[in-house]
Amino acid sequence: MSREYKVGVLGASGAVGREVLNCLEDRGFPYASVKALASARSAGARLDFAGDEITVEEVGPDSFKGLDLAIFSAGASVSRQYAPIAARSGCPVVDNSSCWRQDDRVPLVVPEVNARVLARHRGIIANPNCSTIQMLVALKPIYDAVGIKRIIVSTYQAVSGTGQKAIEELAEQTRRIFNCQDIAANVYPHRIAFNCLPQIDVFTDNGYTKEEMKMVNETKKIFGDENIKVSATCVRVPVFYGHSEAVWIETARHIEPAAARELMSRAPGLLVVDEPEKGRYPMAIDAAGRDEVFVGRLRADLTTENGLSMWVVADNLRKGAATNAVEIAELLIRDPELLKTSWEW
Ligand code: 25A
Ligand code: L14
């Protein structure tokens, strides 16, 4: 018995929202209808969808009545306002913002890692931060096999994570530099073209940025492991699509790189690209537009017995946001128990 679902996409006109529409189409999600929602700024705009166009509607308190599920990517303040309204009207929400991720009532889900926690959702499900998702898809098989005590990660993050305006800013600054014109930095605190910025989001009291602390706290919640130690340095680089990460781990028990590579090559959602002698390793330009996480440069650490280093790349708008959210939606519709009813918020 197959059913079709009425799906809402809030933030449909943004960088992530458009990719959600692409994912629903590419993955053959069984939708009966797709409702594109955004702010008044975009109401009336037409978006390409499934060989046709859909018109963006302004979101309001009644937008979610009659929908079977919704995917949000309009930022934290919009999610804070509308996710409870949707859940109360019987429309479960998969939320891409940071708003609900640390709320105890809200499961934080990477399907390859902790799909089982979906069972206790109450109408709002959080999609993790992009950098955390790709790191954990890569580490999950090693975590399960030998345990991981400590992670030290440096990220090289694309501008598309910040949204459409940042994509335009990198392109515009690059053009102006080539034309010997003055440039302005509007989206980021400094110029991003031909530069690296060791700041993503705002700084917190401990000297780390919010993005870095998201990687620490979300890793603990998704692995369900308060003891795992994580330290991150998040860097914005002048790349349009695809986050790269240099990941170092200390495992609880020893594992040879070859054995780790073998485990990773069988893990869902993960592709090993690791032939350095042929110049083959994961790169952002190859990951762009793909749904998988790519891992390579897997090697033994030279300073400690149980250390491994690797390079992990994924499309931040696909697996880092839209794909992961649509995969959660696919899990929801597989079990009618997870969809029915409405929730108190
Ligand atoms: O708060 P957070 O969690 O840190 O998230 C901050 C931002 O990150 C993106 C998303 O930006 C979000 O705003 N984001 C969210 N989840 C993400 C994830 N997992 C993520 N990025 C990476 N990974 P975005 O640009 O991709 O998309 C924003 C969408 O949200 C809609 N929106 C914004 N405020 C809204 C709202 N919808 C309803 N109510 C609100 N109050 C937004 O629609 C877009 O779909 P829009 O209509 O506001 O804008 C569509 C187009 O209009 C242009 N534009 C934007 N701002 C202005 C503007 N034009 C004129 N003036 C402006 N001030 C843009 O070009 C945009 O394309
Ligand atoms: O928490 O700017 O999901 O690259 C995703 C995009 C945080 C910021 C999140 C970026 C956001 C990030």
Side-chain angles (χ1 to χ4, degrees):
M1 188 183 65
S2 72
R3 227 199 102 184
E4 293 188 330
Y5 300 86
K6 297 191 182 114
V7 181
V9 179
L10 176 55
S13 51
V16 176
R18 282 172 214 234
E19 213 51 53
V20 169
L21 297 177
N22 291 337
C23 279
L24 289 170
E25 182 183 349
D26 295 351
R27 300 176 63 88
F29 190 91
Y31 57 83
S33 60
V34 173
K35 187 174 189 176
L37 298 162
S39 75
R41 278 193 297 271
S42 299
R46 300 179 75 78
L47 301 174
D48 291 332
F49 179 62
D52 206 345
E53 282 188 335
I54 50 177
T55 304
V56 178
E57 298 171 40
E58 182 179 0
V59 68
D62 294 332
S63 297
F64 305 97
K65 289 187 179 144
L67 295 183
D68 292 304
L69 64 99
I71 298 175
F72 282 22
S73 58
S77 58
V78 178
S79 291
R80 188 169 300 113
Q81 184 182 355
Y82 284 105
I85 293 175
R88 280 199 295 268
S89 58
C91 171
V93 173
V94 182
D95 182 39
N96 262 308
S97 82
S98 53
C99 176
W100 303 98
R101 290 179 188 150
Q102 295 304 328
D103 190 310
D104 287 340
R105 301 165 294 178
V106 174
L108 182 63
V109 180
V110 181
E112 291 88 343
V113 180
N114 65 340
R116 68 196 147 67
V117 300
L118 258 185
R120 50 177 179 73
H121 89 82
R122 301 177 36 184
I124 302 177
I125 298 128
N127 207 57
N129 169 271
C130 35
S131 304
T132 310
I133 292 176
Q134 69 182 68
M135 181 170 84
L136 298 196
V137 169
L139 295 183
K140 168 74 173 169
I142 299 177
Y143 185 88
D144 286 349
V146 292
I148 296 175
K149 286 165 52 176
R150 201 148 69 97
I151 303 171
I152 299 178
V153 54
S154 297
T155 70
Y156 305 68
Q157 297 186 216
V159 297
S160 54
T162 315
Q164 197 57 42
K165 276 186 271 185
I167 296 174
E168 287 156 23
E169 178 147 305
L170 173 58
E172 176 66 11
Q173 288 181 351
T174 306
R175 254 192 314 272
R176 294 184 72 87
I177 288 169
F178 280 137
N179 286 299
C180 303
Q181 292 169 311
D182 291 341
I183 62 163
N186 297 312
V187 176
Y188 297 119
H190 306 280
R191 185 179 106 189
I192 182 60
F194 306 98
N195 199 10
C196 297
L197 306 178
Q199 176 188 355
I200 295 184
D201 213 327
V202 296
F203 285 96
T204 68
D205 290 343
N206 67 3
Y208 287 80
T209 61
K210 250 186 169 174
E211 180 79 352
E212 289 160 353
M213 292 314 296
K214 284 176 192 170
M215 293 192 78
V216 175
N217 297 323
E218 294 181 23
T219 295
K220 290 175 195 274
K221 181 164 174 176
I222 297 163
F223 273 152
D225 181 352
E226 269 306 308
N227 295 321
I228 191 164
K229 295 193 174 85
V230 183
S231 187
T233 303
C234 292
V235 181
R236 184 80 61 192
V237 296
V239 166
F240 286 106
Y241 301 99
H243 289 355
S244 305
E245 301 179 338
V247 182
W248 178 94
I249 59 172
E250 183 185 0
T251 55
R253 293 182 298 285
H254 184 75
I255 183 167
E256 291 294 326
R261 196 177 289 112
E262 168 64 20
L263 288 173
M264 287 173 150
S265 68
R266 286 187 272 121
L270 188 59
L271 279 182
V272 177
V273 180
D274 200 10
E275 296 176 290
E277 66 289 351
K278 295 184 189 160
R280 295 193 67 235
Y281 32 72
M283 292 188 289
I285 55 172
D286 296 326
R290 300 282 298 265
D291 284 330
E292 302 90 342
V293 174
F294 297 83
V295 62
R297 298 295 320 278
L298 195 67
R299 60 209 193 274
D301 177 54
L302 299 176
T303 67
T304 179
E305 182 66 9
N306 288 351
L308 283 178
S309 286
M310 68 197 81
W311 179 248
V312 179
V313 181
D315 184 328
N316 53 301
L317 296 184
R318 298 282 298 200
K319 185 58 187 172
T323 305
N324 200 72
V326 172
E327 286 169 346
I328 293 171
E330 289 167 352
L331 292 172
L332 287 178
I333 63 172
R334 212 187 286 166
D335 182 353
E337 283 292 301
L338 297 179
L339 270 190
K340 239 8 263 129
T341 175
S342 61
W343 296 269
E344 301 233 338
W345 274 92

